[in-house]
Amino acid sequence: MPSVENARAIIQAMKRAGIGLVASLPDAALAKLVMEIDADNELIHVPLSREEEGVGVCAGGFFAGKRCALLMQNAGFLNACNGLTTTALQFEIPMVLLILYAGTRGDMAFPQLGVVTEPVLDALRIPYYILETLDQAPEMIGGALVQAYNAKRPVAVLMKKAIF
Amino acid sequence: MFKRLDALKRCLPVIGDAPCIVSVGMTWIEWDRLRPNDGNFALKTLGSGSSVGLGLALSLPHRKILILDGDGACLMNVNGLITVGHKQPKNLIHVVWENKVWECSGGVPAQTGQNLDLVTVAKGAGIKNAQRVGTIEAFEAALKSAFAGDGPHFIVAETAPGDEDSSTAYARLEEVDNKYRFTRYLEKIEGKKLREDAIDIRLSLH
């Protein structure tokens, strides 16, 4: 079961990276994290109903000087691909993609998603890193943000279910 | 039904220096000629207007943000209306030019010309200030009222398709140039620095 403590550790890592706006759609493994983000008064939380919206929301936040993250499952990442291509990549807009990595090694859910996720990220030239343990979160989320701003594009952190 | 170009002209004296998020296609072409201004952001992802506008409105809550959208584009991201209805940004004004065709996709009839009413959709999503206007006078009054009071506002304007061939229309701005111009415009009207490119995370890790 996802724990509130682990969710708060991820939020702390996001805040240390200066992230101020999070657009999200839940996965069962992300439920605690989404609810903790919603309860946090320091973060602007935008609950979505389709992930591609989140690319636009993060772009709007970026123009106003917010560091933005889009939190979703990898099925949602696939839903967001046109927005990522024609908004985030076309306009060179940085954002951090926090992606719950379903169907990866050891996870029996959505095996096809697990197979295609990294090749699609490669095809979009979106750099990505795999978060295997919670203690890597501050460096990896902060590092992703640095790379996103300096490379002027989205950077993804693929989060394994085990960390929640 | 009235002309979008005439309605866009009526917008100019009403909106002041409001940042405008403008749909891809003929809305952008016509608007950019009328207001060739760095305060315009020309969308490339169809339908993303409500989402980009929302992100901007939530991040600059003291400032009115105007979205100039097409009905086809709006249909492609109905989810954006749901999110606006949920977040209730008081400063967001969403204008949809409803010409009932996919104008930039060859003029194919759109669902707005048949069973669909976008105002009902917006109201169902929780956008109470949603209305349809059938004359240019009603449009101008609705826009003035939106700029004078709290939103979110959603205005569906029944306009005719444009007269030009959208397939050969010229877009003046390259996207990355548009990004920098738009951000600098926001910095100017906000009176503070907003853009940060190079970031050293060590600055925020302590």
Side-chain angles (χ1 to χ4, degrees):
Chain A
M1 279 292 289
S3 82
V4 170
E5 291 68 31
N6 292 358
R8 287 181 181 158
I10 299 279
I11 291 173
Q12 274 311 110
M14 290 162 57
K15 286 186 180 175
R16 288 181 70 179
I19 288 168
L21 185 154
V22 185
S24 80
L25 217 91
D27 173 276
L30 298 175
K32 290 273 192 306
L33 178 55
V34 169
M35 286 190 272
E36 287 296 310
I37 289 169
D38 199 64
D40 193 309
N41 292 329
E42 294 172 24
L43 295 171
I44 298 176
H45 179 219
V46 184
L48 309 167
S49 53
R50 186 176 163 87
E51 295 80 356
E52 191 180 30
E53 295 177 70
V55 178
V57 170
C58 288
F62 164 77
F63 292 132
K66 296 275 183 218
R67 299 181 186 178
C68 300
L70 175 51
L71 174 65
M72 58 196 167
Q73 200 226 57
N74 42 348
F77 158 67
L78 295 183
N79 266 345
C81 281
N82 178 43
L84 288 167
T85 305
T86 56
T87 293
L89 294 171
Q90 189 77 45
F91 289 89
E92 300 186 359
I93 294 173
M95 60 189 70
V96 176
L97 310 178
L98 297 172
I99 302 172
L100 193 279
Y101 198 175
T104 187
R105 189 178 84 235
D107 180 20
M108 63 184 293
F110 303 107
Q112 293 307 317
L113 284 178
V115 172
V116 306
T117 296
E118 291 183 50
V120 173
L121 284 162
D122 281 328
L124 295 176
R125 313 292 193 269
I126 292 177
Y128 59 90
Y129 306 96
I130 300 174
L131 188 57
E132 303 260 2
T133 61
L134 200 57
D135 60 359
Q136 297 171 304
E139 185 280 328
M140 202 170 281
I141 293 174
L145 184 103
V146 171
Q147 187 179 22
Y149 270 78
N150 291 294
K152 301 179 177 63
R153 59 178 49 232
V155 175
V157 175
L158 298 170
M159 304 181 293
K160 296 191 73 173
K161 281 182 186 171
I163 69 165
F164 294 98
Chain B
M1 194 182 283
F2 50 103
K3 282 194 171 186
R4 176 180 55 212
L5 184 63
D6 293 333
L8 288 168
K9 286 177 186 164
R10 299 278 182 112
C11 291
L12 291 170
V14 178
I15 69 165
D17 63 0
C20 296
I21 308 295
V22 189
S23 181
V24 60
M26 286 314 296
T27 298
W28 165 252
I29 300 293
E30 291 178 354
W31 181 246
D32 184 47
R33 285 180 195 145
L34 291 171
R35 194 211 202 207
N37 177 313
D38 289 346
N40 302 323
F41 182 69
L43 300 158
K44 279 294 177 296
T45 306
L46 270 166
S48 60
S50 53
S51 303
V52 175
L54 177 64
L56 193 56
L58 293 174
S59 303
L60 299 175
H62 51 282
R63 185 169 293 286
K64 293 280 190 186
I65 306 294
L66 177 63
I67 303 163
L68 299 173
D69 210 356
D71 53 351
C74 191
L75 294 188
M76 292 180 72
N77 183 22
V78 168
N79 303 80
L81 302 185
I82 294 168
T83 310
V84 169
H86 178 69
K87 294 299 290 186
Q88 294 290 317
K90 290 180 178 173
N91 53 330
L92 191 63
I93 300 160
H94 188 169
V95 171
V96 178
W97 310 114
E98 190 186 73
N99 56 26
K100 302 180 180 8
V101 291
W102 299 92
E103 186 176 1
C104 286
S105 305
V108 174
Q111 291 87 330
T112 39
Q114 295 160 47
N115 302 328
L116 176 70
D117 176 19
L118 275 173
V119 172
T120 305
V121 172
K123 285 193 170 171
I127 305 173
K128 292 194 190 85
N129 292 314
Q131 62 178 307
R132 170 178 297 280
V133 291
T135 66
I136 197 162
E137 292 77 19
F139 168 73
E140 189 174 15
L143 189 72
K144 281 180 176 167
S145 164
F147 269 85
D150 283 348
H153 296 277
F154 186 77
I155 303 168
V156 175
E158 294 179 344
T159 48
D163 302 325
E164 289 181 66
D165 177 1
S166 61
S167 65
T168 57
Y170 169 69
R172 182 175 61 90
L173 283 180
E174 191 273 335
E175 290 85 6
V176 179
D177 190 27
N178 192 180
K179 173 187 79 166
Y180 287 119
R181 286 169 180 265
F182 187 62
T183 308
R184 287 191 189 111
Y185 178 87
L186 294 174
E187 289 182 333
K188 190 175 77 181
I189 60 174
E190 288 292 311
K192 64 178 182 185
K193 180 140 179 63
L194 298 171
R195 186 174 73 85
E196 36 174 16
D197 265 348
I199 287 182
D200 183 341
I201 199 62
R202 285 170 298 185
L203 297 174
S204 43
L205 285 181
H206 298 290

